[in-house]
Amino acid sequence: MKKMIKAIFVLSAILFLVECKQEIKLDLPNNGQVLIVQGEISTQKDTSYVKLSQTVSYYSTDIIPTINNADVRVNGILFKSKGNGIFMPDTPYVGVINTVYNLIINYNGSTYTSSTLLDEMFDIDRVDSVFYPAGGSGPGGPGGGGPGGGGRKEGYAVQFFWTDTRTPPKYTYMRIGRTTLEILQDSFLRNIVLMDNSVTKLNTQISRELPRHYPHGDTVTAILKSCDKNMYYFLQAYQMQTSNAPGPFQIPPANLPTNIIGGAVGYFSACDVRSFRKGL
Amino acid sequence: MKKIFLFIFVLSSIVSFAQQKKITISGKIKDASTGEDLIGGMLFVQELKTGVQTNTYGFYSLSIPAGKYTLIYSYIGYDKIEKKIDLSSNQTINIELKESKTELNEVVVTADKPDAKNVQQNKMSVIKIDIKDIKNIPLLLGELDIIKVLQLLPGIQQAGDGSTLFTVRGGNVDQNLILLDEAVVYNPSHVAGFFSVFNGDAIKDFEIYKGGIPANYGGRLSSVLDVRMKDGNSKQYGVSGGIGILSSRLTFEGPIQKGKSSFMISGRRSYFDLFFPLSTSIPSGASAYFYDLNVKLNYEFSAKDRLYLSGYFGRDALSFGSSSSLTFGTSWGNASGTLRWNHVFNNKLFMNASLLYSNYDYNYQIDLSATNNFSRINYITDFGGKVDFSYYISPKSILKFGFTETNHIYEPGKRVPVTSTSNVIEVDLPLKNAIEQGYYVSHKMDVSNRLNIEYGLRTSIFSNYGGRTFGYQTGAPTYIDNGRVNSSIITDTINHSSNQIYHTSYGIEPRLNFAYQINSRSSIKASYNRMYQYMSLIQNITASIGQEFWTPSDNYIKPQYADQVAFGYFRNFKENTIEASAEVYYKRLQNTVELKDNAIIDFNEAIESQVVAGQGRAYGLELFLRKQRGKTTGWVGYTLSKSERQADGVNNGIWYPFRYDRTNYLTVVLSQVLSKRVTISGNFIYGTGEAFTIPIGRYQLFDASQPQVILYGTRNSARYPAYNRMDISLTLGRKQIPGKVYKNKSEWIFAIYNVYGYKNAYTIDYEMTNGVPTAYKYYLFTYVPSITYNFKF
């Protein structure tokens, strides 16, 4: 009897705590394609671009098609197709702080428009690294343990310091790369760090530790960009919808918000950029 | 003129004579072994073929002409008492009924009286359940959970597998008024919704109204769940409890002054986090537990006055990280208190006055580093009172009236750095305050032997005061652009002085129930009610883990209201041992609070900019067949229903299915007494799958290393696979030698939840698996066995 009780005891606990998944086939409607816009005006020279692509049906194994035959203009300046759906200006181009940028896309008989403000970024004062010995709990990552990892492995955390003097609310998002970062491809890690200066101290040097630990020899790169409120909410929704948190913690599925008018989805953002690299 | 005076004189004389001849019997009906009031106990006068039942405080009053009568006192599951009296003056008769031994070990869901109540009463869409009658029903993890029993009844459906959240007749999960000893319980869930806050050992009985809601209740659109705690045994001391796999409970009760006062204290604590190390999927350093405590005292000052003091305190905690380095922690809990005074003014007038307190707080703490840490706190607190009067005009006429006033305080958010080195600044959003008042009167009368009616009116007033509100660029907090709901820009901030009322809403809420008895075995019934609701639960994940919060209606968020009509045919068979009913209903909801897509609700003071007013409609047919007596008992319930919502800017303004809309919902509950020691029970549920929004495409943002984004189609246009589940349990009582009297009781309950292990979809999610888009259903519970040992001595 005691053995039986013990077995059921353990079994119940495990069954209760572990959620499971099983593949299912959905009978999906076949809808038309929708234009995807990704546009970024940057204060970094010649990195501003607009990228156009289209949706595919959910179960399609086709490569997501890019659009190269659209007419794309930002504040009247023509962005020409460079292939792979990317449109860039031919002449040297640098975004200007406190400027409103207006995007107009004419494609397939339809017009899509958007507007955004280029806000100033704060400057980074310095970047440090901190060594954490093995043991205890803490942030996970390539060199760390973290939740589920059974304790932290030894590794380095990266801290950066800044002083924000901008009048709140100002929004920033940060992308973190481990060894290299290709700016045009936005190859940031999955967790985008969003910051709102209305919740942090102003005119005081403050610091932040990147949410991962790295082994000796790695180079950590971070890019910080200012953005307007629309882009901030867009990224927030993007993170929530792609957070892969199914089960009881899943938020209601919804299409991402967009500041593109005319029936397309995606975003058009303008940013002031700061970045740092730290060898460990 | 003389003729008129003569007519009035004669009429007055007749009325006066008739009144002088009426004698009133009043008193209480109690349990002989515990002294507990029996709610819904019945007094029947055999010679007059009339009767009355005790109110929610165990009190009854009946006025009849002087004479010799046979009074029959009864309550389901108890032996009847017949009492012959020669009634010549008003009398107080308190009766104690003994529990019927033949009813033990049976699953009995009872009506208010054992006879033909199902047919005779004007109440419809109401079910009352005695807690001791449902202890054998197999439930998840062996926990006796009243909400999960409710989910086995027609018209009441669970919101997700294993969840204690429920919907009633197409309403939202926040449209159920949940009361524990008259105090509001704002979050009825423990452990992400898998346990309810109601400890079965501390509960005396509960009643749920799905429609035809009496005028003394208000504040929610869809249902009222009225749960009452045990008063405590006033005759003898007792200990009872249960040891389960994941939690245990213990209850003490007994007299303080025998026959006059008693106490009850009941606690429960989970310990499932002890098993976390057994699972590789649980983060190290994780902790999760809940506990709750129910306390009740009562004192009978005199035959006319009795005071009750009861309280509930419960808490959940969930954290990841070590004790020295917490990474994430959240906790939430309810607390409530009720101080109640019952006073009998005379044989006809009864009063209950209550002082009420409710609190629900929820907070979390994030501590990622010395510079990045904070805790967030939210709560809702109620202070209030209510006074209810019952005036027993005659056996055929009862007048009820009263009022209630509650002061609500909503804390929309307070963020505090955990350490002084944190970069996070402290922010305390201004409190939102409101006073809610309700005034009601209702009259229940037997128009004839066949027709009885109850009609009433409630007026509700909701006044917002103090705090801070915003002005918006477009004049409203949201606007629709490109077919979507967008938030307006805040252009103005208005600070209100602490007592300044800046907005008031009113609601007139008529209520009507009537029943026409076709014959002794069948009747038809109808009901109508309008309900107002002045607060909404803002929640954007399914689980209840303390992230959700309540927000009041105000100058932007309109009060919700609903109209419901219902018709029913009720029929009893085999001398009332089998009850059957068929009810149809239609419910219209207005100003429902719908979250806009991708709503930002966390720490958002301007929550009105994240919601949109919608409307809803729900209609359906409910069939119910149950057998209450004999070795085989149980019921079959079936619901055919539809529930839809519409809101401008959502789904292009087109009506769409409500998430928990289930076209078909079938429940079967059966219990078979095999011997005096052994009872076997089982449940079966089949329901149409929940509605969900189907993907119509996918696309890539940023670069290929990022997760792809889903493009969704029409809202809630698809269905999860159908839900079905069977649970069984075996109750093994103590060995008994015939003829020997046992003071102590004990039993083992062995149960399996989802006995054939069907993988019911909890949610559906999408992933790229090896570059191939794939849809998955996530399920939570398969083959969940449990063992519970219950004892009482």
Side-chain angles (χ1 to χ4, degrees):
Chain A
M1 187 66 164
K2 278 183 179 175
K3 281 184 179 176
M4 187 180 79
I5 292 171
K6 192 177 174 185
I8 294 173
F9 217 71
V10 171
L11 192 62
S12 282
I14 291 172
L15 286 171
F16 172 58
L17 294 166
V18 180
E19 64 178 10
C20 301
K21 68 178 183 180
Q22 184 179 52
E23 184 180 342
I24 56 169
K25 269 286 172 196
L26 299 175
D27 185 16
L28 302 180
N30 190 15
N31 284 60
Q33 291 177 312
V34 175
L35 180 69
I36 311 300
V37 177
Q38 298 177 78
E40 183 176 282
I41 303 300
S42 170
T43 52
Q44 288 191 323
K45 189 180 174 188
D46 295 339
T47 60
S48 300
Y49 67 95
V50 174
K51 185 175 180 182
L52 302 181
S53 57
Q54 280 184 313
T55 58
V56 294
S57 66
Y58 181 73
Y59 278 129
S60 167
T61 51
D62 295 345
I63 295 169
I64 290 178
T66 54
I67 305 293
N68 296 296
N69 57 342
D71 183 83
V72 179
R73 292 169 194 272
V74 176
N75 284 3
I77 296 174
L78 181 66
F79 278 42
K80 286 188 176 174
S81 173
K82 305 292 180 187
N84 290 326
I86 293 174
F87 294 77
M88 298 178 80
D90 266 350
T91 53
Y93 193 91
V94 177
V96 179
I97 288 165
N98 292 330
T99 302
V100 174
Y101 288 90
N102 297 302
L103 169 71
I104 300 174
I105 300 169
N106 283 299
Y107 170 65
N108 214 13
S110 299
T111 301
Y112 307 88
T113 60
S114 186
S115 183
T116 186
L117 172 70
L118 201 160
D119 259 330
E120 186 182 13
M121 252 303 289
F122 56 73
D123 289 322
I124 294 165
D125 298 336
R126 73 171 203 274
V127 181
D128 283 346
S129 60
V130 182
F131 177 74
Y132 282 94
S137 63
R152 185 187 60 217
K153 294 175 185 174
E154 70 170 31
Y156 291 87
V158 175
Q159 287 179 335
F160 65 102
F161 298 77
W162 76 96
T163 306
D164 199 339
T165 58
R166 303 172 299 170
T167 306
K170 290 287 186 292
Y171 304 97
T172 305
Y173 69 98
M174 178 170 65
R175 303 170 304 158
I176 303 158
R178 188 177 175 189
T179 51
T180 62
L181 194 70
E182 297 173 23
I183 294 170
L184 279 180
Q185 292 185 354
D186 284 327
S187 57
F188 44 81
L189 296 176
R190 195 164 170 152
N191 54 330
I192 302 165
V193 179
L194 295 168
M195 298 190 284
D196 172 358
N197 78 342
S198 61
V199 303
T200 51
K201 293 169 186 168
L202 292 177
N203 305 314
T204 307
Q205 188 179 66
I206 54 179
S207 66
R208 184 136 192 183
E209 193 171 287
L210 300 189
R212 290 191 175 221
H213 287 185
Y214 300 89
H216 176 71
D218 266 17
T219 297
V220 174
T221 306
I223 294 182
L224 295 95
K225 297 181 178 182
S226 63
C227 64
D228 67 5
K229 194 175 180 178
N230 285 332
M231 184 64 176
Y232 183 81
Y233 285 153
F234 171 83
L235 290 169
Q236 207 169 32
Y238 171 75
Q239 284 195 309
M240 286 195 295
Q241 291 291 340
T242 58
S243 66
N244 198 23
F249 311 108
Q250 187 182 54
I251 63 165
N255 286 322
L256 296 180
T258 182
N259 61 348
I260 312 293
I261 297 169
V265 294
Y267 63 89
F268 177 56
S269 178
C271 57
D272 188 16
V273 184
R274 301 289 184 273
S275 63
F276 63 79
R277 291 172 71 84
K278 179 72 179 174
L280 300 171
Chain B
M1 184 58 86
K2 277 185 181 176
K3 283 182 181 175
I4 293 172
F5 276 117
L6 184 64
F7 175 75
I8 292 172
F9 175 76
V10 171
L11 189 65
S12 302
S13 300
I14 292 169
V15 170
S16 174
F17 178 75
Q19 285 178 342
Q20 283 168 5
K21 283 293 189 183
K22 294 278 186 183
I23 309 293
T24 301
I25 321 164
S26 63
K28 287 199 161 191
I29 301 177
K30 297 185 176 191
D31 182 309
S33 62
T34 65
E36 293 269 353
D37 296 331
L38 294 177
I39 301 163
M42 186 72 192
L43 163 61
F44 186 72
V45 184
Q46 199 168 43
E47 290 77 7
L48 299 177
K49 306 277 186 225
T50 190
V52 70
Q53 60 180 349
T54 56
N55 64 12
T56 50
Y57 313 102
F59 176 81
Y60 74 91
S61 173
L62 184 68
S63 295
I64 52 177
K68 291 182 179 176
Y69 297 108
T70 306
L71 306 182
I72 301 171
Y73 290 89
S74 63
Y75 186 74
I76 187 76
Y78 287 72
D79 293 332
K80 291 178 181 177
I81 288 182
E82 282 191 19
K83 193 176 174 68
K84 292 190 184 299
I85 59 164
D86 187 354
L87 200 60
S88 56
S89 61
N90 290 345
Q91 286 194 32
T92 299
I93 303 175
N94 294 319
I95 287 290
E96 293 189 342
L97 300 179
K98 286 184 179 169
E99 203 172 343
S100 170
K101 299 298 176 196
T102 57
E103 294 286 352
L104 292 177
N105 290 330
E106 294 179 13
V107 178
V108 187
V109 174
T110 68
D112 284 333
K113 61 182 184 182
D115 301 315
K117 173 252 177 186
N118 179 51
V119 167
Q120 290 170 346
Q121 269 200 333
N122 60 31
K123 282 182 175 178
M124 63 183 298
S125 314
V126 181
I127 296 168
K128 177 173 171 288
I129 295 176
D130 193 318
I131 198 76
K132 70 180 184 310
D133 295 329
I134 58 170
K135 289 195 170 175
N136 293 337
I137 292 179
L139 295 168
L140 180 62
L141 300 162
E143 283 291 318
L144 171 61
D145 197 319
I146 62 172
I147 291 182
K148 289 187 178 152
V149 173
L150 293 178
Q151 293 168 347
L152 296 168
L153 297 167
I156 305 170
Q157 298 169 1
Q158 60 182 358
D161 192 17
S163 174
T164 51
L165 297 176
F166 61 99
T167 64
V168 178
R169 290 186 169 174
N172 289 350
V173 295
D174 68 344
Q175 292 171 353
N176 307 310
L177 178 65
I178 300 173
L179 302 172
L180 179 60
D181 270 3
E182 302 179 357
V184 174
V185 175
Y186 280 100
N187 183 352
S189 301
H190 281 308
V191 195
F194 300 125
F195 296 83
S196 88
V197 296
F198 300 113
N199 174 357
D201 284 355
I203 304 303
K204 178 157 66 176
D205 74 356
F206 57 101
E207 193 167 28
I208 186 157
Y209 293 82
K210 300 181 289 182
I213 298 170
N216 55 310
Y217 294 110
R220 299 291 185 278
L221 298 191
S222 288
S223 77
V224 176
L225 172 60
D226 194 355
V227 183
R228 298 175 196 94
M229 273 190 230
K230 281 180 183 172
D231 297 330
N233 194 323
S234 62
K235 300 291 181 73
Q236 57 186 359
Y237 293 101
V239 179
S240 60
I243 300 168
I245 287 177
L246 301 178
S247 72
S248 289
R249 54 205 147 75
L250 192 63
T251 301
F252 294 96
E253 57 184 325
I256 300 170
Q257 189 181 349
K258 222 167 188 178
K260 283 258 179 194
S261 61
S262 62
F263 73 93
M264 187 276 298
I265 179 165
S266 184
R268 191 166 55 147
R269 172 68 158 86
S270 73
Y271 33 74
F272 41 78
D273 48 343
L274 297 177
F275 306 100
F276 280 5
L278 298 171
S279 172
T280 53
S281 66
I282 304 297
S284 62
S287 170
Y289 63 87
F290 76 83
Y291 62 86
D292 51 34
L293 184 70
N294 294 73
V295 180
K296 193 159 183 179
L297 303 167
N298 76 88
Y299 185 75
E300 194 170 325
F301 287 93
S302 70
K304 291 187 173 183
D305 294 283
R306 193 167 181 184
L307 209 59
Y308 301 82
L309 178 65
S310 59
Y312 167 84
F313 182 77
R315 194 113 212 116
D316 277 71
L318 172 69
S319 63
F320 300 103
S322 66
S323 57
S324 59
S325 176
L326 178 76
T327 305
F328 174 79
T330 179
S331 75
W332 67 97
N334 295 278
S336 71
T338 306
L339 177 62
R340 219 171 70 198
W341 172 37
N342 281 183
H343 179 67
V344 181
F345 285 97
N346 55 48
N347 286 340
K348 290 193 167 191
L349 184 61
F350 176 88
M351 181 197 76
N352 175 72
S354 304
L355 288 175
L356 303 163
Y357 166 81
S358 287
N359 174 267
Y360 169 51
D361 73 276
Y362 34 103
N363 55 71
Y364 65 77
Q365 179 176 319
I366 292 175
D367 193 355
L368 297 173
S369 68
T371 57
N372 188 10
N373 57 62
F374 66 93
S375 64
R376 195 213 65 180
I377 300 154
N378 290 67
Y379 62 79
I380 175 170
T381 299
D382 289 354
F383 297 97
K386 66 194 274 280
V387 182
D388 303 290
F389 294 93
S390 299
Y391 184 61
Y392 296 82
I393 301 166
S394 74
K396 295 180 175 178
S397 175
I398 302 170
L399 186 71
K400 293 181 179 178
F401 53 96
F403 64 92
T404 175
E405 179 168 318
T406 306
N407 186 29
H408 303 288
I409 301 169
Y410 306 82
E411 165 64 88
K414 183 176 182 179
R415 185 173 50 220
V416 185
V418 177
T419 64
S420 59
T421 54
S422 174
N423 293 331
V424 178
I425 55 173
E426 182 174 336
V427 179
D428 190 0
L429 301 179
L431 298 175
K432 296 183 178 184
N433 309 290
I435 293 175
E436 185 171 9
Q437 296 164 295
Y439 303 89
Y440 74 91
V441 60
S442 72
H443 184 213
K444 183 180 174 185
M445 64 182 294
D446 295 343
V447 179
S448 69
N449 286 339
R450 287 176 180 266
L451 179 65
N452 60 68
I453 188 167
E454 183 173 357
Y455 55 93
L457 188 71
R458 183 182 180 91
T459 301
S460 51
I461 305 164
F462 194 80
S463 305
N464 304 88
Y465 69 94
R468 184 163 69 187
T469 55
F470 299 112
Y472 290 91
Q473 193 174 51
T474 59
T478 58
Y479 64 95
I480 296 170
D481 180 41
N482 211 14
R484 294 182 182 189
V485 180
N486 291 283
S487 303
S488 290
I489 294 169
I490 294 173
T491 53
D492 196 11
T493 300
I494 306 117
N495 291 299
H496 306 282
S497 61
S498 59
N499 294 318
Q500 181 191 352
I501 292 175
Y502 64 86
H503 184 76
T504 300
S505 305
Y506 303 90
I508 305 292
E509 308 176 36
R511 314 285 170 86
L512 176 68
N513 286 292
F514 97 91
Y516 181 77
Q517 201 169 329
I518 300 166
N519 53 43
S520 62
R521 297 180 305 280
S522 63
S523 64
I524 52 171
K525 302 182 185 183
S527 69
Y528 163 75
N529 61 237
R530 169 170 280 203
M531 307 291 291
Y532 269 80
Q533 179 166 338
Y534 297 94
M535 62 178 78
S536 308
L537 184 67
I538 304 296
Q539 179 178 29
N540 71 347
I541 60 171
T542 305
S544 176
I545 58 162
Q547 303 300 297
E548 67 276 21
F549 59 91
W550 289 86
T551 198
S553 63
D554 55 21
N555 47 336
Y556 292 118
I557 300 174
K558 294 177 184 171
Q560 304 177 65
Y561 65 95
D563 295 287
Q564 184 185 183
V565 289
F567 299 94
Y569 174 69
F570 295 77
R571 175 80 157 87
N572 285 3
F573 300 93
K574 293 197 171 182
E575 297 180 337
N576 301 324
T577 56
I578 296 177
E579 294 180 352
S581 65
E583 294 188 35
V584 291
Y585 66 89
Y586 180 82
K587 185 166 22 178
R588 199 77 164 81
L589 305 112
Q590 302 289 350
N591 301 333
T592 58
V593 177
E594 311 287 339
L595 280 179
K596 76 182 185 77
D597 284 348
N598 301 299
I600 308 294
I601 64 168
D602 191 34
F603 214 75
N604 192 339
E605 186 182 357
I607 201 69
E608 63 270 14
S609 67
Q610 304 299 313
V611 299
V612 59
Q615 57 178 329
R617 60 190 179 203
Y619 44 93
L621 164 72
E622 294 170 3
L623 303 176
F624 193 42
L625 181 74
R626 67 179 167 183
K627 183 173 181 290
Q628 300 185 76
R629 305 289 177 84
K631 289 188 171 180
T632 307
T633 55
W635 69 85
V636 179
Y638 171 71
T639 308
L640 175 69
S641 63
K642 194 171 183 67
S643 179
E644 297 173 298
R645 297 288 185 274
Q646 187 274 336
D648 292 340
V650 176
N651 199 42
N652 294 317
I654 299 166
W655 285 87
Y656 57 91
F658 177 51
R659 178 180 171 183
Y660 297 114
D661 171 50
R662 295 181 192 271
T663 309
N664 297 288
Y665 197 70
L666 173 72
T667 58
V668 180
V669 176
L670 282 176
S671 182
Q672 178 70 42
V673 177
L674 300 176
S675 71
K676 282 191 174 177
R677 281 189 72 200
V678 183
T679 301
I680 188 165
S681 303
N683 313 324
F684 173 76
I685 300 180
Y686 170 88
T688 306
E690 288 173 20
F692 76 104
T693 305
I694 207 161
I696 56 171
R698 60 187 170 83
Y699 58 100
Q700 183 72 57
L701 289 179
F702 308 114
D703 62 83
S705 68
Q706 300 304 307
Q708 291 198 343
V709 183
I710 306 277
L711 185 70
Y712 291 100
T714 308
R715 183 178 277 210
N716 292 347
S717 61
R719 296 284 172 166
Y720 288 178
Y723 183 93
N724 70 93
R725 191 189 88 219
M726 181 182 279
D727 319 317
I728 57 168
S729 76
L730 181 79
T731 303
L732 188 62
R734 179 180 173 173
K735 267 187 187 171
Q736 294 189 354
I737 299 166
K740 192 175 176 184
V741 178
Y742 292 88
K743 207 175 173 185
N744 304 335
K745 292 177 184 173
S746 65
E747 63 186 13
W748 287 90
I749 299 177
F750 303 89
I752 302 178
Y753 178 91
N754 197 358
V755 70
Y756 51 78
Y758 187 76
K759 295 165 181 169
N760 287 299
Y762 193 89
T763 55
I764 287 180
D765 200 40
Y766 314 95
E767 290 177 25
M768 296 295 283
T769 306
N770 300 323
V772 179
T774 312
Y776 291 96
K777 73 172 179 184
Y778 280 76
Y779 57 92
L780 296 178
F781 303 108
T782 55
Y783 316 109
V784 184
S786 63
I787 298 177
T788 307
Y789 175 71
N790 293 326
F791 56 89
K792 187 174 183 181
F793 52 89

